[in-house]
Amino acid sequence: MIFELVKIAASNLTRHKLRTALTMLGMIFGVAAVLAMLSIGAGAEDEALALIERLGLRNIVVRAKQFEPDQLTALRQDSPGLSRQDVSALRRALPEGTLVVGKRVLRASLVASPHGRSDSRVLGVGSLYHRVSNLEIVQGSFFLPADEENAHQYCVLGTTASRKLFGLTDPLGQPVKIDQHWFTVVGLLADQVIEEGEFEGVKIENPNNDIYVPLATLLAKYDRDPVADELDEIVIQLPAGADIPEQAAAVSALMGSMHRQIDDFSLVVPQELLQQKSHTQRIFNIVMGAIASISLLVGGIGIMNIMLASVLERTSEIGLRRALGARKRDISRQFILEALAISISGALLGIALGFGISHLVASYSGWPTIIRPFSILLGVGVSMTIGLVFGIYPARQAAGVSPIEALRYE
């Protein structure tokens, strides 16, 4: 019986191809818009998660603020700036298992090897920096605590820095000149697939073109402005299960006392950034989804309008079927099936259009887009619901037609 009703519904819809196609347009554009908006939101969410992983979800980052030279001189009368003393104080005060690592960026004018030159960024870091920053070693090893304590002239290269300096040659054990000092390569990092950019105001850089040297070596071998901060950044990785907001407050209080309440540092808490980003993303998805859903609502109204017109147009047919023994529910099912057919067909075409829009956005704007199965199921589910809801009233109208009056209808 259902199969027969489906055949009748398909026949009635294909009989008026243009009208059926125009009725589908609202569903097509509605589903495509919902899918495209959700794919843009999902792409932004995945990109944010990748950036957060780079910062470290259990990390707290203390960064030195930038000031004009005359302001910096005045500040140094009260605050020593970010330094290794802060690192030692944080290690003593924070829970057991916490890793605290300092970092300083060297503005090197020459980075070269016997095989080539590079524009790589040079960073002086603690021996545990690769652990707090999720850096993977693929050759050799990161330098050891003893190398840091003894200011050994060792370095670890990112993949881009290695290619620029050594090409396809194995870099391990090779010399690298950074300004006037030579360093020996002891490790090579895995390639990182992270785009440079900003996340909630925090600048994130790809480490592939970085060169890492022991912090103590960099501070001992290279001159710095005496009023400048000794460190650019301190990275704190808390142990699993630690209360991050509570520890962030403790870090802020300790740093404030160490710096005599001078506001010359800032705290970056990736977990809080992620929560803020997730909240913003949810609002974006709701607003964009609501706007896109207007097209679905318009499509539903179009389905109801066409189905009501179809009831009047096919009154004689309905009367004949009722006279031949068709029950009210058979008539009702037929019209509901037609409404569902329009909405489902529109949804499938809308999904195809949504895929196209998503790819166009990704290609021309550089905005990442990801189409998830949930988005497809949501589009189809909503369109089916709309088809069902807006098809029920015309179906009831059709089922309620009197057979005698219908047969006399012209």
Side-chain angles (χ1 to χ4, degrees), residues 364-406:
Y364 289 100
S365 70
W367 193 308
T369 59
I370 297 174
I371 296 177
R372 292 176 174 159
F374 170 77
S375 302
I376 297 174
L377 292 174
L378 179 66
V380 174
V382 170
S383 62
M384 285 181 65
T385 303
I386 287 176
L388 185 62
V389 169
F390 284 89
I392 286 174
Y393 180 72
R396 285 183 174 177
Q397 290 290 101
V401 172
S402 168
I404 297 173
E405 292 297 324

Side-chain angles (χ1 to χ4, degrees), residues 98-210:
T98 301
L99 303 180
V100 185
V101 181
K103 181 176 88 173
R104 179 173 178 80
V105 180
L106 174 68
R107 276 72 182 175
S109 56
L110 173 66
V111 178
S113 77
H115 303 275
R117 292 194 173 199
S118 175
D119 57 352
S120 302
R121 193 174 60 142
V122 179
L123 293 86
V125 297
S127 59
L128 298 176
Y129 185 79
H130 64 298
R131 288 177 57 185
V132 302
S133 295
N134 302 314
L135 300 176
E136 181 186 351
I137 305 292
V138 291
Q139 281 185 261
S141 66
F142 214 73
F143 41 81
L144 305 173
D147 300 324
E148 188 180 0
E149 291 169 9
N150 298 310
H152 289 161
Q153 292 178 216
Y154 292 152
C155 67
V156 176
L157 306 181
T159 52
T160 303
S162 176
R163 282 196 297 269
K164 289 179 179 178
L165 292 169
F166 298 102
L168 299 177
T169 306
D170 185 356
L172 291 186
Q174 297 286 337
V176 173
K177 189 175 186 180
I178 302 174
D179 285 345
Q180 70 273 28
H181 298 289
W182 287 92
F183 290 77
T184 302
V185 179
V186 296
L188 179 66
L189 298 177
D191 190 25
Q192 300 286 318
V193 288
I194 297 173
E195 294 291 334
E196 295 189 354
E198 285 197 3
F199 177 70
E200 300 294 322
V202 178
K203 189 175 181 181
I204 297 175
E205 296 175 308
N206 191 303
N208 286 338
N209 197 33
D210 289 346

Side-chain angles (χ1 to χ4, degrees), residues 290-301:
I291 293 171
S293 296
I294 292 173
S295 296
L296 288 174
L297 181 62
V298 171
I301 294 171

Side-chain angles (χ1 to χ4, degrees), residues 30 33-38 281-296 378 382:
V34 169
L35 197 64
M37 291 301 173
L38 290 177
Q281 193 65 49
R282 280 195 299 272
I283 293 173
F284 172 83
N285 287 339
I286 289 170
V287 172
M288 292 296 101
I291 293 171
S293 296
I294 292 173
S295 296
L296 288 174
L378 179 66
V382 170

